[in-house]
Amino acid sequence: MPPVLSVHRIIAVGVAVFFVLLLLFSAFHQGVTPIQTLKDTANSAAERICTSGSDHDAPLLGDVPFSQGIHSLYKSIRHSVTAKTYQDPTGRQFTLPDKEPAWTSPLGSKILIVDMDTRIPTGDNELWNPTTMDYASLDASKGGQMVSAAFMNHFLYSQIHGYDYKFFAAKSLKDHHDTWIKPHVLYDLLHSYQFVVFIDADATIQHLELPLEWLFNKWGIGHATTIAMPIDTEEVVNGDQHISTDSKGKVVLNTGFIVTQALPLAFEMLDAWRKCTTGARWKDCKQWATQWSHEQRAFSEYVRYDFNPHGNIVEIPCDDAMGFPGIVENNPRVISNCTGQFVRHQTIGKEATKTNAGNALMQSMAELMQKALIQEKARYWIADDKINIGSFLKIFQKRD
Ligand SMILES: *[C@@H]1O[C@H](CO)[C@@H](O)[C@H](O)[C@H]1NC(C)=O
């Protein structure tokens, strides 16, 4: 029988209590809202006790749901919602605007990340098929396997930050292009959340540790924002320079990444958008039911002009949430250099979605391994003078 209170346990509890006191002190000292800090402190105290305990703690760990596990795993690299700057792995710095940030603490499950698609990934080597996926042979040039790579990325991102996640397995629409599901589903789900965020199946989050709330602060998504979308990449197709603009010549917003906030004006706007093709409000909208670019063009052609009384619609910079590195260099028809710094959107070369999702995951894993090893260097690192190989070799040589 192991002793109930081993020396290890007493030390672990002592360390945990010390950290609780230290964090409490620093939270009040800095005048920040201590609730999240307290939550984090409690979590980490629990982790310390669990991981230092003996075998009979194992069932406790087994009770931790997947989302809590992922949330704690990423604790060491999760970026603060209000940090003045963010430096990406290449060293490029991004700074919040010089004003009070609208969001100062994590919104957690008040945010929903929703995937919706008619390509339902239950086929061979796809995410929602219970047979174990073979990631190495995942072929993202095929729709179902591409959406699998992207949805893993979206789901993981939601779990890292405590957002809710849903996949809406959509049926095709009658007399409408499938992408018309977007305003309908957003309108419906927004009743249960403060924010609903939709990400296309060829788009991925590149910096998994960077929360949406930080991006909201960067983009100026505030308490009166009803909807935000990125400005589309501009293209020239067959000499036509106006392929990316509405009939007034203004560049359209791309519906590959949509942030909506539950405000009365947002519901009015989404309702008008989803009913656009009836022609009741905007007579000419019927054509966009089947003609490209469908719901995207309808939004930019009509909705944005009628539902933006106080700058409620936020246009996200193209470089932040459209395109990918090399888009201009490798595609002569693209004229705006949007490199997907935060949301990478493969409107061209969709099979790269797998590479983008893989790189984002491995980047975060590399950072986590670095942090874990370096923070506990004394535990994992043996200096070369700690093991006397030299004298052993001499003995060995002598015997020879
Ligand atoms: C596009 O932007 C990237 C980085 O944001 C830059 O490295 C590249 O040189 C740019 N390309 C062109 C053609 O301006």
Side-chain angles (χ1 to χ4, degrees), residues 326-347:
I327 188 170
V328 168
E329 290 81 353
N330 303 324
N331 300 282
R333 67 173 217 236
V334 178
I335 54 173
S336 40
N337 189 19
C338 304
T339 56
Q341 291 301 317
F342 299 103
V343 182
R344 195 148 292 181
H345 192 176
Q346 295 286 156
T347 50

Side-chain angles (χ1 to χ4, degrees), residues 109-250:
S109 57
K110 290 179 185 164
I111 298 181
L112 170 71
I113 292 188
V114 64
D115 284 323
M116 54 178 110
D117 216 290
T118 48
R119 292 164 293 187
I120 298 165
T122 49
D124 271 356
N125 209 16
E126 293 176 2
L127 186 59
W128 283 85
N129 181 326
T131 309
T132 304
M133 284 175 75
D134 176 16
Y135 189 76
S137 70
L138 189 78
D139 178 3
S141 68
K142 298 192 175 116
Q145 298 189 41
M146 176 194 74
V147 309
S148 295
F151 294 172
M152 277 193 274
N153 169 273
H154 307 166
F155 177 50
L156 175 61
Y157 183 59
S158 74
Q159 301 305 289
I160 291 171
H161 299 284
Y163 310 142
D164 205 351
Y165 174 85
K166 306 265 184 221
F167 169 61
F168 177 71
K171 282 206 180 82
S172 284
L173 296 173
K174 192 169 167 281
D175 305 327
H176 282 71
H177 191 263
D178 287 342
T179 48
W180 268 105
I181 59 175
K182 294 178 190 180
H184 292 272
V185 176
L186 291 173
Y187 178 88
D188 190 86
L189 293 175
L190 196 55
H191 287 88
S192 312
Y193 297 90
Q194 183 173 355
F195 283 99
V196 176
V197 177
F198 163 77
I199 314 168
D200 249 353
D202 54 359
T204 45
I205 302 288
Q206 284 317 283
H207 309 302
L208 291 168
E209 78 287 14
L210 187 64
L212 280 169
E213 297 89 324
W214 190 90
L215 290 168
F216 291 177
N217 286 332
K218 178 181 191 291
W219 294 329
I221 295 174
H223 294 270
T225 302
T226 51
I227 194 163
M229 283 184 247
I231 298 167
D232 206 1
T233 42
E234 290 181 74
E235 300 183 11
V236 182
V237 177
N238 301 325
D240 181 3
Q241 295 227 13
H242 301 292
I243 186 106
S244 329
T245 63
D246 65 16
S247 60
K248 298 185 177 71
K250 191 171 154 63

Side-chain angles (χ1 to χ4, degrees), residues 12 17 24 28 41 60 76 84 103 106 184 204 252 262 270 274 277 312 354 361 363-364 367 370 374 378 389 396:
V17 168
L24 264 178
F28 284 114
T41 309
L60 268 181
S76 67
K84 199 69 207 154
W103 311 104
H184 292 272
T204 45
V252 300
L270 288 168
R274 68 182 176 151
T277 55
N312 309 77
K354 179 187 175 183
L361 173 62
Q363 175 61 36
S364 71
E367 286 177 44
Q370 270 192 297
I374 292 169
I389 294 173
F396 194 73

Side-chain angles (χ1 to χ4, degrees), residues 6 16 79 110 173 213 222 286 318 356 361 377 384:
S6 67
H79 204 66
K110 290 179 185 164
L173 296 173
E213 297 89 324
K286 287 177 183 163
C318 188
N356 295 339
L361 173 62
K377 189 170 175 182
D384 87 320

